[in-house]
């Protein structure tokens, strides 16, 4: 039903509860009943309250136990503890609420806001913001065994704030009115010493700045300076790559608050950040980091053996001289052990995870950039004439491919879309299947296995990004006919080299969206298409059984585009018959009116013109089939239309209904025309 639309990505709703959540306290609390643990939250002993919070935090990661805690008003029980006299209790209470918001979903976050979690949370954030400065003056008051309670509490609180603001508009309004921006930006200033806290802030900022014009006035020059300082941070770790990418997304969200004279350089800085993130080979990074982890663990094991031998010697000496000072033991047992420099915290895995999140985030933001409203002429002139546009530009062309190498660039023409002059090589590279060696590494290591899903997510985002770029780009700027044909071969290979992936809904939606946009572009310029009819039908047979309506819409649209091209050729009647039968069956049997409408629209395109199309239409009895189906379609629209479909969808369906009437009339005139 016309050109496909570019989709917008919204931020992932939750900060997933996982290995990085805090679970302080001893023992296994899973057997503790909710009522008993909640009662312990009122205990006069801070240690008991801390233990109860930590136990609840661990249990709340299991979705099936959440209702039991909600029934006992866990939010109102934990909320006051955010301002507990004990810093340890504050941290574990915030961690428990964070897990509740992350694992409970939208409804739980709504309930948390309804029960006024924002009041103590805002108060806690403001205290943390003030406490960060106080800690600089008096570190001994806030540090215990190298633990910074203020920063750790702030980290938990900001993650909780991120989750509820992502899910609830009231929470965002409170964020705006209570001046939370100043507090979280104050935490952001710790990025040079606490990158984890800064990443939490950046995630929160990207969430609260999306579609939030009321917050723009708060981003004054001072606030923008904080973001710019982080953006220019030279650190090269993967966590810093993620941090810069998230900040770049925030700056894009608040672009309307940036002075026109600075907008061009700011956009170029954003594009440079995305370029750097996408340029890193995730597969090679996984292989390298996994090897580094193995070496680190080997060295740590050797150090452990040496430490044990040293302890035996030290103990024998101590027994002979009781006056010697006792060796201090920290919570880990070896406070001064050199092996503490190589902690057993899987930092290599966290680095790779940060890289994949950075790449996924960059691709999602680029997709959203393609969907934004066109800026004014003055803005585009400012962007395209910026002196800093060379900051992120690399070689103009990849030799032999015809595809531009730079990930993004601004158009040289005023009023042209900034993605209108390239197919980014780096984005195209991300559409390929992940490195097989890296996949094998992840598959055989349980703690690394979740990376496979993240690798696949990056590939799907890259395909969706490619789809969006194709929709807003000019053919000549994409590299011409040869480049598009090469791209078609690449996408075809992705589809048919691993047929088992046709059962993967996310991959199938992404690849069919990209193919649909590409085939539309090629058909509009009469560029010959590379997929055979057999391949097209195989793809459509797989896609039409998908549970995802978008996939089904894509495949019938692809068939319509290809069929309309075939109808202009010679000796294609047999193929057109197969396409026509397929589309007719979809139109008549499809449960979704939107997909049925798309199938009808595809039929109109395929059989609109041409001798081969006329011949095929007669042989499959297209006209009588459509005349019989017309009243059925009208009846379905009356019965199913209201309440099930959006106003835009109903408008399109009304147009299909009108075109169906016209197409039947057209087919009738063909039957009366003398041969």
């Amino acid at each position: 039903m016309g050109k496909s639309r570019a989709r917008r990505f919204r931020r992932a709703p939750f900060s997933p509860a996982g290995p990085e959540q805090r679970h302080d306290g001893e023992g296994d609390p899973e057997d503790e009943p909710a009522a008993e643990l909640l009662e312990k939250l009122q205990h006069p002993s801070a240690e008991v309250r801390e233990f109860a919070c930590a136990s609840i935090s661990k249990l709340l990661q299991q979705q099936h136990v959440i209702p039991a805690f909600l029934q006992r008003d866990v939010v109102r029980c934990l909320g006051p503890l955010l301002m507990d006299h004990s810093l340890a209790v504050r941290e574990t209470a915030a961690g428990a609420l964070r897990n509740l918001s992350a694992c409970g979903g939208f409804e739980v976050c709504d309930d948390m806001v309804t029960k006024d979690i924002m009041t103590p949370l805002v108060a806690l954030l403001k205290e943390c913001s003030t406490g960060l400065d106080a800690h600089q003056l008096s570190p001994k008051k806030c540090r215990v065994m190298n633990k910074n309670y203020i920063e750790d509490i702030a980290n938990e609180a900001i993650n909780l704030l991120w989750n509820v603001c992502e899910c609830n508009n009231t929470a965002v309004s409170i964020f705006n009115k209570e001046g939370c921006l100043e507090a979280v930006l104050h935490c952001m200033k710790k990025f040079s010493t606490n990158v984890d806290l800064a990443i939490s802030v950046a995630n929160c900022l990207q969430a609260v700045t999306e579609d939030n014009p009321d917050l723009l006035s708060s981003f004054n020059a001072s606030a923008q300076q904080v973001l710019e300082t982080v953006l220019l941070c030279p650190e090269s770790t993967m966590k810093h790559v993620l941090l810069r990418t998230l900040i770049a997304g925030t700056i894009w969200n608040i672009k309307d608050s940036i002075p026109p004279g600075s907008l061009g350089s700011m956009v170029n800085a954003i594009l440079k950040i995305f370029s750097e993130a996408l340029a890193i080979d995730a597969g090679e990074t996984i292989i390298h980091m996994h090897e580094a982890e193995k070496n680190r663990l080997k060295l740590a094991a050797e150090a452990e053996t040496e430490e044990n031998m040293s302890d035996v010697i030290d103990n024998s000496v101590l027994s002979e001289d009781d006056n010697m000072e006792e060796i201090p033991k920290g919570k880990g047992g070896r406070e001064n052990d050199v092996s503490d420099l190589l902690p057993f915290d899987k930092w290599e895995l966290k680095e790779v995870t940060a890289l994949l999140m950075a790449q996924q985030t960059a691709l999602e933001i680029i997709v959203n950039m393609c969907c934004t409203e066109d800026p004014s002429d003055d803005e585009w002139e400012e962007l395209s004439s910026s002196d800093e546009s060379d900051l992120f530009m690399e070689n103009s062309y990849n030799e032999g491919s015809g595809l531009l190498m730079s990930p993004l660039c601004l158009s040289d023409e005023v009023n042209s879309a900034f993605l209108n002059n390239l197919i980014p090589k780096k984005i195209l590279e991300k559409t390929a299947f992940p490195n097989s060696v890296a996949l094998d590494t992840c598959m055989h290591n349980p703690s690394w296995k979740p990376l496979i899903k993240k690798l696949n997510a990056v590939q799907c985002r890259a395909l969706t990004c490619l789809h969006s770029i194709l929709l807003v780009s000019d053919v000549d700027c994409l590299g011409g006919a040869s480049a598009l044909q090469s791209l078609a071969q690449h996408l075809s290979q992705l589809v048919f080299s691993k047929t088992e992936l046709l059962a993967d809904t996310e991959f199938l939606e992404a690849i069919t969206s990209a193919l649909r946009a590409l085939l539309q572009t090629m058909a509009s310029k009469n560029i010959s298409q590379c997929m055979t009819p057999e391949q097209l039908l195989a793809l459509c047979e797989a896609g039409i059984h998908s549970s995802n309506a978008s996939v089904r819409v894509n495949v019938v649209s692809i068939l319509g585009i290809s069929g309309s091209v075939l109808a202009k050729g010679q000796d294609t009647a047999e193929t057109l018959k197969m396409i026509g039968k397929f589309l007719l069956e979809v139109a008549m049997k499809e449960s979704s009116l939107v997909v049925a409408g798309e199938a009808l629209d595809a039929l109109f395109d395929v059989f609109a013109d041409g001798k081969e199309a006329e011949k095929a239409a007669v042989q499959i009895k297209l006209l009588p089939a459509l005349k019989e189906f017309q009243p059925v379609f009208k009846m379905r629209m009356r019965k199913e239309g209201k309440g099930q479909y959006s106003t835009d969808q109903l408008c399109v369906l009304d147009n299909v209904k009108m075109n169906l009437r016209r197409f039947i009339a057209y087919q009738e005139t063909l039957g009366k025309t003398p041969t």
Side-chain angles (χ1 to χ4, degrees), residues 36 74 193 218 268 287 306 339 360 377 417 508 523 536 562 564 651:
E36 182 179 345
V74 64
T193 56
S218 300
N268 285 320
I287 296 168
E306 292 179 5
S339 65
Q360 180 176 330
D377 293 0
L508 196 55
L536 286 168
S562 300
S564 65
C651 183

Side-chain angles (χ1 to χ4, degrees), residues 139-335:
K140 291 185 178 179
K141 292 183 179 180
C142 300
R143 284 191 181 271
V144 179
M145 293 160 46
N146 296 322
K147 176 176 176 61
N148 187 322
Y149 269 110
I150 301 299
E151 292 183 10
D152 290 345
I153 293 169
N155 191 42
E156 298 290 354
I158 288 170
N159 274 280
L160 171 58
L161 181 66
W162 167 25
N163 291 346
V164 293
C165 286
E166 187 67 67
C167 301
N168 186 277
N169 290 331
T170 301
V172 175
S173 297
I174 294 171
F175 183 99
N176 295 344
K177 294 175 183 176
E178 293 295 330
C180 293
L181 179 63
E182 183 180 354
V184 297
L185 284 176
H186 202 69
C187 295
M188 176 62 78
K189 293 177 182 178
K190 294 290 180 181
F191 76 93
S192 60
T193 56
N194 192 336
V195 67
D196 291 321
L197 175 60
I199 289 173
S200 297
V201 174
N203 272 308
C204 184
L205 283 175
Q206 201 184 354
V208 297
T209 54
E210 187 172 10
D211 299 325
N212 185 7
D214 294 340
L215 189 61
L216 293 181
S217 60
S218 300
F219 277 94
N220 53 28
S222 175
Q224 291 181 18
Q225 180 62 44
V226 174
L227 300 182
E228 185 176 348
T229 301
V230 179
L231 206 63
L232 298 175
C233 167
E235 294 289 339
S236 60
T237 72
M238 298 302 103
K239 284 188 177 182
H240 285 88
V241 170
L242 173 58
L243 175 61
R244 288 192 293 269
T245 302
L246 291 167
I247 292 299
T250 298
I251 293 173
W252 175 255
N253 287 344
I254 65 164
K255 60 186 179 298
D256 291 342
S257 71
I258 297 173
S262 304
L263 188 57
S265 59
M266 189 60 76
V267 170
N268 285 320
I270 292 173
L271 301 179
K272 182 176 184 291
I273 296 302
F274 294 161
S275 173
E276 291 171 349
L278 294 172
I280 302 171
D281 188 320
E284 291 297 326
T285 303
I286 287 174
I287 296 168
H288 171 74
M289 284 294 183
H290 185 259
E291 190 65 29
E293 182 187 66
K294 287 199 302 184
N295 292 335
R296 174 174 62 81
L297 293 176
K298 180 181 178 181
L299 289 173
E302 292 172 354
E304 178 80 15
T305 301
E306 292 179 5
E307 176 69 16
N308 291 337
M309 293 179 63
S310 176
D311 284 346
V312 172
I313 298 172
D314 289 342
N315 287 336
S316 64
V317 173
L318 283 172
S319 63
E320 295 174 3
D321 187 356
D322 292 338
N323 293 324
M324 285 187 64
E325 183 179 355
E326 184 177 355
I327 298 174
K329 296 284 184 179
K331 188 174 182 180
R334 296 185 308 279
E335 184 179 3

Side-chain angles (χ1 to χ4, degrees), residues 613-626:
E614 290 179 26
K615 188 191 305 183
V618 171
Q619 292 179 3
I620 66 173
K621 299 179 180 180
L622 179 62
L623 178 58
L626 289 178

Side-chain angles (χ1 to χ4, degrees), residues 567-569 576 606-617 666 670:
K568 298 173 185 176
L576 294 175
V606 174
F607 295 95
D609 192 22
K611 293 296 182 182
E612 295 295 310
E614 290 179 26
K615 188 191 305 183
Y666 162 70
L670 291 179

